[in-house]
């Protein structure tokens, strides 16, 4: 069962939150390689992938609160409205996983990216899997440069 937030999405709120400012977010996106027993110590940069920055509207905040309760009832799937997903900024990670968003206003944001990892067992590729990574961040002041380590562990 798909359940949207009760708070209606307000495009004017999203536009205001995405209006130009004087702050920025810079960071590095990475993961750890996995084997049959879980994570290993090998750090792997998430390269040439799109990183999305969504403003924390009332709609998104309610969705986030719903998802924090998601594991209590697995029959429910909480979803954002299609319109909400049209208001974002994006950038691409470089060959080292670095990314940056400039000209942001203070506020809360959700970073999202998807990446693919090929898993091996005894040196043999056993399949490639897609992963979604999300991180909540907050810029508190004008002219702030927020440094983010964007990892899934």
């Amino acid at each position: 069962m798909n359940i949207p937030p009760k708070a209606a999405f307000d495009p004017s709120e999203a536009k205001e939150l995405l209006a130009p400012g004087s702050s920025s977010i810079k960071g590095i996106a990475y993961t750890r390689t996995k084997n049959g027993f879980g994570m290993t110590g090998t750090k792997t940069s998430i390269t040439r992938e799109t990183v999305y920055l969504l403003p924390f509207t009332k709609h998104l905040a309610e969705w986030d609160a719903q998802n924090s309760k998601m594991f209590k009832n697995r029959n429910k799937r909480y979803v954002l409205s299609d319109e909400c997903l049209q208001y974002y900024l994006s950038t691409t990670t470089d060959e080292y996983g670095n990314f940056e968003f400039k000209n942001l206003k203070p506020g809360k944001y959700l970073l999202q990216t998807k990446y693919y990892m090929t898993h091996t067992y005894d040196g043999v590729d056993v399949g490639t899997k897609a992963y979604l990574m999300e991180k909540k961040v907050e810029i508190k002041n004008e002219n702030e440069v927020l440094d983010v380590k964007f990892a899934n562990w």
Side-chain angles (χ1 to χ4, degrees):
M1 171 185 348
N2 288 345
I3 302 171
K6 291 177 184 171
F9 177 73
D10 181 358
S12 61
E13 179 189 16
K15 287 177 188 175
E16 175 60 27
L17 294 169
L18 289 174
S22 61
S23 298
S24 61
I25 296 171
K26 68 177 189 169
I28 183 167
Y30 61 93
T31 187
R32 299 269 182 198
T33 56
K34 293 183 177 185
N35 60 22
F37 305 105
M39 298 287 188
T40 67
T42 307
K43 186 175 170 180
T44 303
S45 297
I46 297 172
T47 62
R48 304 210 188 327
E49 294 290 346
T50 303
V51 178
Y52 297 94
L53 183 79
L54 289 85
F56 234 82
T57 61
K58 291 176 183 139
H59 182 79
L60 183 69
E62 185 180 327
W63 170 84
D64 181 58
Q66 288 173 326
N67 275 324
S68 68
K69 300 174 188 175
M70 179 173 72
F71 294 107
K72 292 180 182 175
N73 186 341
R74 292 185 183 259
N75 295 326
K76 295 179 182 177
R77 181 171 174 247
Y78 299 102
V79 295
L80 291 167
S81 72
D82 290 338
E83 189 176 18
C84 175
L85 297 173
Q86 296 175 23
Y87 291 86
Y88 61 87
L89 300 174
S90 66
T91 190
T92 303
T93 59
D94 67 12
E95 65 270 20
Y96 305 106
N98 298 304
F99 64 92
E100 186 171 13
F101 291 96
K102 295 180 179 181
N103 303 318
L104 300 173
K105 292 174 66 171
K108 292 182 181 181
Y109 298 92
L110 179 69
L111 290 170
Q112 285 187 329
T113 192
K114 179 173 63 174
Y115 67 96
Y116 300 88
M117 184 175 278
T118 300
H119 298 280
T120 60
Y121 181 74
D122 284 340
V124 176
D125 289 350
V126 293
T128 300
K129 185 175 177 182
Y131 293 90
L132 177 67
M133 223 168 45
E134 297 179 330
K135 182 176 184 103
K136 293 180 266 189
V137 296
E138 182 176 6
I139 297 172
K140 296 183 179 177
N141 303 302
E142 288 289 343
N143 301 311
E144 181 178 348
V145 177
L146 186 62
D147 194 13
V148 176
K149 292 182 181 176
F150 191 21
N152 68 346
W153 49 273

